[in-house]
Amino acid sequence: MEITPPPCLNKPLKFPNKLLMGPGPSNCSPRVLHALSLPILGHMHTETFQIMDEIKEGIKYIFQTKNELTLAISAAGHGGMEAVLCNLVEPGDKVLVAVNGLWGMRAIRMAENYGAVVSQIATSLGNNYSLGQLETAILSEKPDLLFVVQGESSTGVYQPLESLGKICHKYNCLLAVDTVASLGAVPFFMDKWEVDAVYTGSQKVLSAPPGITPISFSKRAQTKIFQRKSRPSVYYFDMNVVGEQWGCVGTVRTYHHTVSSSLLCGLREALAIICEEGIENSMKRHKECTMRLHDGLKRLGLEFFVGDPEARLPTVTSIKIPEGVDWKKITTTAMNTYNLEIGGGLGPTAGLIGRVGIMGYNAQPENIDFLLSVLQKLLKDKCKL
Amino acid sequence: MEITPPPCLNKPLKFPNKLLMGPGPSNCSPRVLHALSLPILGHMHTETFQIMDEIKEGIKYIFQTKNELTLAISAAGHGGMEAVLCNLVEPGDKVLVAVNGLWGMRAIRMAENYGAVVSQIATSLGNNYSLGQLETAILSEKPDLLFVVQGESSTGVYQPLESLGKICHKYNCLLAVDTVASLGAVPFFMDKWEVDAVYTGSQKVLSAPPGITPISFSKRAQTKIFQRKSRPSVYYFDMNVVGEQWGCVGTVRTYHHTVSSSLLCGLREALAIICEEGIENSMKRHKECTMRLHDGLKRLGLEFFVGDPEARLPTVTSIKIPEGVDWKKITTTAMNTYNLEIGGGLGPTAGLIGRVGIMGYNAQPENIDFLLSVLQKLLKDKCKL
């Protein structure tokens, strides 16, 4: 063999257990980590189909939907965005994106890739949209699809969605929503709010491992997908065939790809945990932790990047970097000294803000208090520019 | 909440440990399963980058390459096929697919989705191609890309590849190879054989969890990707940006998506195991187990679907279903009574053949003997039509 085994793989795999209070992923509970270590199952085994069915029911609960085309795709959250757009966009379709940070920008790029004519509404970073603004944009752009991010983790902005679906449907437009960083911590009612496509992150409030992404399509969206003139251009994300493997459509489970039983088990347990707690309790817990965090940040003299308290995302709090503070040094020291992750900005907010995440398993008062105490220490004297 | 928590998630998650001797996935070793249960890491943590770097080195070893664009994509093996084609195909490109089972057929569909003009060579099921046949087809079709499957698991056919890269390059054609079901059990030399794009399955000979897929592109392929007139249409698989996150290209690791640290840890350990054993030893072990299996199958009076012994894939043995035998009953009884997976046909071979897999952690004489003893019992009287 010309290429020999690399010595770096000769060392044992070892790293510390960190407390992940950045914008995600969050820590998995011991129960979820244990589920990840269960023996491998084949993708067509009876037990696997049962776990998939249970996951579907769990996802219907967290999205509050009865949609039959509800499943988890074998990809990161970003794959969810890809799956929504590649299935709902046909070349020439008009897509309107309400941008308020990085994710909207990504959606524009993806929609363009699928041949959409894309227009966007833009707002200054740190703000969300009123329903009136969105309706005006729909009226002027006449899109086939409106793409909105409920929780923009890159800015820490929360976008209210109630009544938006009705408005979209009045103008014959579908509504797609990214809830990657918000679901489970803020209200979301897919059916009642008439949302047509949604996906969320496994590794945020659900505290499941990354790599598997809950997704759901309304009857309206399903009709659009099944009546496309052209096939969705990505076979891997094609809901016509993925939906068959998941038993959502048709009567026979047809092999599409090898679903990872490890990730299925992890997600199944994470969904079981949120079902046991109940979404209302999960939201309450996140709200209380967020208030505790916000009170603490104010005591430290820190300011919020999002001015309007109603527009602040409870899962990701964005903080203006105070003058004279080296935030990079704060995040690095927190990580190296305390095994604590605190986030910086991302995309358009890089260098502008710090970000603290409160998600799922980590949303506990003692974690907030620990984070605040570390932040206080580091701000005091150590992390000046 | 209108939709209430589903009672099915109220039960504990429990299933038996099975011996997976079908066409994949194979079982993970306890060491790999343990790695899956390690605490979650963020996708931009120093430790994560180190694990990714170690994985890259491990993949270079198993592919026998020095290619800088070598990484693992966050998707099942099928995502590997998607990534190769979406990056290497531009609309109007001519793609030639050497079909010898389901995977070639899938590649045709994917390449068409990306706007390729696709032609195919076909052979009767159970045969492979001679280099002469492939060169003749290249000469007549003048493709920009030739797609070949080294180990067609749906038929159990092994396709020799030596010298094929040179032939392709003589005619200015790139060579893409699917080694999902073959790598680690048969020779593969990416650089020496001048292969331009390759991917393999994590869950086959590597015995890593499914959901993360090693992939590599040659300098030639990389040039094609970086000089495309149009962007690859799938952002999730776009090597221009995925390669940056993996530190393969450019100098800064730019966030692209949340890589699953759980799957990284599992794959890292699986690669460490094959590095410790050495590919030569792994191939030898698989060969010995395959001979043991084949001898046993002959003793049971079973016939091989692939006539030419040289064309038989050592990892997946395809067996003609003997007259009067209900193979479905065999696989079901093996599973229900012995927790043993034996495979049936797939796609074009469904109902025609049975398939036995010998892969990675499971390639041990005692597993072969157990499988043969179960098969003997079931064939004897229980599974007649």
Side-chain angles (χ1 to χ4, degrees):
Chain A
M1 294 282 162
E2 198 189 328
I3 318 285
T4 53
C8 61
L9 281 171
N10 231 338
K11 292 174 301 178
L13 176 62
K14 225 175 167 180
F15 51 82
N17 189 357
K18 306 175 184 192
L19 179 60
L20 307 178
M21 304 287 283
S26 61
N27 291 82
C28 290
S29 67
R31 177 172 164 189
V32 169
L33 291 178
H34 170 71
L36 285 170
S37 71
L38 290 174
I40 298 291
L41 285 171
H43 42 287
M44 302 297 278
H45 291 186
T46 313
E47 295 88 345
T48 307
F49 288 148
Q50 192 189 323
I51 295 171
M52 290 163 90
D53 285 343
E54 291 167 359
I55 285 175
K56 275 156 49 176
E57 293 310 308
I59 296 176
K60 286 178 186 172
Y61 171 63
I62 58 170
F63 285 150
Q64 286 292 297
T65 184
K66 291 178 179 161
N67 291 335
E68 64 176 8
L69 194 50
T70 299
L71 51 86
I73 60 167
S74 299
H78 240 53
M81 189 186 282
E82 199 83 73
V84 161
L85 293 168
C86 109
N87 280 280
L88 291 184
V89 172
E90 289 202 84
D93 278 2
K94 291 173 82 172
V95 174
L96 174 64
V97 180
V99 178
N100 50 17
L102 184 63
W103 309 119
M105 290 156 65
R106 288 263 168 111
I108 290 176
R109 177 160 171 169
M110 285 187 194
E112 283 174 354
N113 281 351
Y114 294 117
V117 180
V118 183
S119 56
Q120 57 171 299
I121 335 172
T123 176
S124 55
L125 284 178
N127 291 313
N128 61 16
Y129 297 94
S130 69
L131 286 180
Q133 285 174 304
L134 293 171
E135 183 162 6
T136 305
I138 294 170
L139 261 166
S140 90
E141 299 297 334
K142 299 183 182 55
D144 300 294
L145 178 74
L146 170 65
F147 183 93
V148 180
V149 180
Q150 187 186 32
E152 241 305 337
S153 61
S154 69
T155 53
V157 165
Y158 170 62
Q159 173 62 51
L161 297 170
E162 213 177 330
S163 306
L164 185 55
K166 256 192 196 18
I167 294 173
C168 285
H169 295 149
K170 197 164 82 180
Y171 302 106
N172 206 20
C173 165
L174 294 177
L175 173 62
V177 179
D178 175 320
T179 67
V180 167
S182 55
L183 196 88
V186 297
F188 184 80
F189 299 92
M190 181 158 203
D191 289 357
K192 210 197 286 177
W193 291 356
E194 298 187 20
V195 174
D196 295 302
V198 69
Y199 56 95
T200 191
S202 56
Q203 78 281 11
K204 307 272 184 172
V205 173
L206 294 180
S207 289
I212 184 162
T213 296
I215 194 168
S216 181
F217 294 89
S218 73
K219 202 79 207 164
R220 253 192 208 88
Q222 199 174 327
T223 304
K224 160 98 187 176
I225 296 169
F226 292 175
Q227 294 180 352
R228 289 174 61 105
K229 287 176 224 73
S230 57
R231 287 199 302 239
S233 66
V234 193
Y235 186 78
Y236 191 70
F237 295 128
D238 184 341
M239 284 301 138
N240 294 288
V241 276
V242 180
E244 278 183 18
Q245 177 157 359
W246 275 83
C248 300
V249 290
T251 49
V252 182
R253 303 248 195 182
T254 314
Y255 165 76
H256 171 265
H257 71 283
T258 302
V259 176
S260 183
S261 71
S262 312
L263 295 182
L264 286 179
C265 289
L267 178 58
R268 194 265 184 205
E269 286 304 273
L271 287 168
I273 290 170
I274 199 168
C275 284
E276 282 166 24
E277 180 179 25
I279 296 180
E280 302 93 328
N281 292 329
S282 170
M283 286 195 289
K284 189 164 164 279
R285 180 164 54 86
H286 281 83
K287 197 176 176 179
E288 285 167 2
C289 282
T290 304
M291 282 171 58
R292 195 179 188 99
L293 173 71
H294 287 194
D295 287 348
L297 292 174
K298 282 181 214 158
R299 275 199 307 276
L300 295 179
L302 291 165
E303 284 176 56
F304 300 104
F305 180 66
V306 179
D308 176 8
E310 295 296 310
R312 285 176 200 154
L313 188 60
T315 45
V316 179
T317 297
S318 48
I319 303 163
K320 283 188 197 170
I321 300 177
E323 227 173 294
V325 167
D326 183 349
W327 194 264
K328 179 84 195 144
K329 202 167 166 187
I330 288 194
T331 60
T332 311
T333 314
M335 183 66 92
N336 295 343
T337 312
Y338 302 97
N339 284 323
L340 170 67
E341 176 167 55
I342 301 175
L346 180 68
T349 60
L352 282 180
I353 62 172
R355 292 184 298 163
V356 173
I358 299 179
M359 293 175 186
Y361 181 64
N362 293 348
Q364 298 296 345
E366 58 271 27
N367 291 335
I368 310 295
D369 294 347
F370 174 63
L371 179 133
L372 285 168
S373 72
V374 169
L375 209 48
Q376 181 170 27
K377 264 187 239 167
L378 298 182
L379 281 169
K380 212 168 170 188
D381 47 22
K382 293 212 191 82
C383 295
K384 295 283 155 63
L385 273 173
Chain B
M1 295 283 161
E2 198 189 329
I3 318 284
T4 53
C8 60
L9 282 170
N10 230 338
K11 292 174 302 179
L13 176 62
K14 225 176 167 179
F15 51 82
N17 189 357
K18 307 175 183 190
L19 179 60
L20 307 178
M21 304 286 283
S26 61
N27 291 82
C28 291
S29 67
R31 177 172 164 189
V32 169
L33 291 178
H34 170 71
L36 285 170
S37 71
L38 290 174
I40 298 292
L41 285 171
H43 41 287
M44 302 297 277
H45 291 186
T46 313
E47 295 89 344
T48 307
F49 289 148
Q50 192 189 322
I51 295 171
M52 290 163 90
D53 285 343
E54 291 168 358
I55 286 175
K56 275 158 46 177
E57 293 310 309
I59 297 176
K60 286 178 187 172
Y61 171 62
I62 58 170
F63 286 149
Q64 287 292 299
T65 184
K66 291 178 179 162
N67 291 335
E68 65 176 8
L69 194 50
T70 299
L71 51 86
I73 60 166
S74 299
H78 240 54
M81 188 186 283
E82 199 84 74
V84 162
L85 293 169
C86 109
N87 280 280
L88 290 184
V89 172
E90 289 202 85
D93 278 1
K94 291 172 82 172
V95 174
L96 174 64
V97 179
V99 178
N100 50 16
L102 183 64
W103 309 120
M105 290 156 64
R106 288 264 168 111
I108 290 176
R109 177 159 171 168
M110 284 186 194
E112 283 174 354
N113 281 352
Y114 294 117
V117 179
V118 183
S119 56
Q120 58 172 299
I121 336 172
T123 175
S124 55
L125 283 178
N127 291 313
N128 61 16
Y129 297 94
S130 69
L131 285 181
Q133 285 174 305
L134 292 171
E135 183 162 6
T136 305
I138 294 171
L139 260 167
S140 89
E141 299 297 335
K142 300 184 182 54
D144 300 294
L145 177 73
L146 171 66
F147 183 93
V148 180
V149 180
Q150 187 186 31
E152 241 305 338
S153 61
S154 70
T155 53
V157 165
Y158 169 63
Q159 174 62 52
L161 297 170
E162 213 178 330
S163 306
L164 186 55
K166 257 193 195 16
I167 294 173
C168 285
H169 295 149
K170 196 163 83 179
Y171 302 106
N172 206 19
C173 165
L174 294 177
L175 173 62
V177 179
D178 175 319
T179 68
V180 167
S182 55
L183 196 88
V186 297
F188 184 81
F189 299 92
M190 180 159 205
D191 289 357
K192 210 198 285 177
W193 290 356
E194 297 187 20
V195 174
D196 295 302
V198 69
Y199 56 95
T200 192
S202 56
Q203 78 281 11
K204 307 272 185 173
V205 173
L206 294 179
S207 290
I212 184 162
T213 296
I215 194 167
S216 181
F217 294 89
S218 72
K219 202 79 208 165
R220 253 191 208 88
Q222 199 174 328
T223 305
K224 160 98 187 177
I225 295 169
F226 292 175
Q227 294 179 353
R228 288 174 62 105
K229 287 176 223 74
S230 57
R231 286 198 304 238
S233 66
V234 193
Y235 185 79
Y236 191 69
F237 295 128
D238 184 341
M239 285 302 139
N240 294 288
V241 276
V242 180
E244 278 182 18
Q245 178 157 358
W246 275 82
C248 300
V249 290
T251 50
V252 182
R253 303 248 195 183
T254 315
Y255 165 76
H256 171 264
H257 71 283
T258 302
V259 176
S260 183
S261 71
S262 312
L263 294 182
L264 286 179
C265 289
L267 177 59
R268 194 266 185 206
E269 287 303 272
L271 287 167
I273 289 170
I274 199 167
C275 284
E276 281 166 24
E277 181 180 24
I279 296 179
E280 301 93 328
N281 293 329
S282 170
M283 286 196 288
K284 189 164 163 279
R285 181 165 53 87
H286 282 82
K287 197 176 176 180
E288 285 167 2
C289 282
T290 304
M291 283 172 58
R292 195 179 188 99
L293 173 70
H294 287 194
D295 287 348
L297 293 174
K298 281 181 215 159
R299 275 199 307 277
L300 295 179
L302 292 165
E303 285 176 56
F304 300 104
F305 180 66
V306 179
D308 176 7
E310 295 295 310
R312 286 176 199 152
L313 188 60
T315 45
V316 180
T317 297
S318 48
I319 303 164
K320 284 188 196 170
I321 300 178
E323 228 174 292
V325 167
D326 183 348
W327 194 265
K328 179 84 196 146
K329 202 167 167 188
I330 288 194
T331 60
T332 310
T333 315
M335 183 66 93
N336 294 344
T337 312
Y338 302 97
N339 284 323
L340 170 67
E341 176 167 56
I342 302 175
L346 180 69
T349 61
L352 282 181
I353 62 171
R355 292 184 297 163
V356 173
I358 299 179
M359 293 174 186
Y361 181 65
N362 293 348
Q364 298 296 344
E366 57 271 27
N367 291 335
I368 310 295
D369 294 347
F370 174 63
L371 179 132
L372 285 167
S373 72
V374 169
L375 209 48
Q376 181 171 26
K377 263 186 241 168
L378 298 182
L379 281 169
K380 213 169 170 188
D381 46 22
K382 293 211 191 83
C383 296
K384 296 282 155 64
L385 272 173

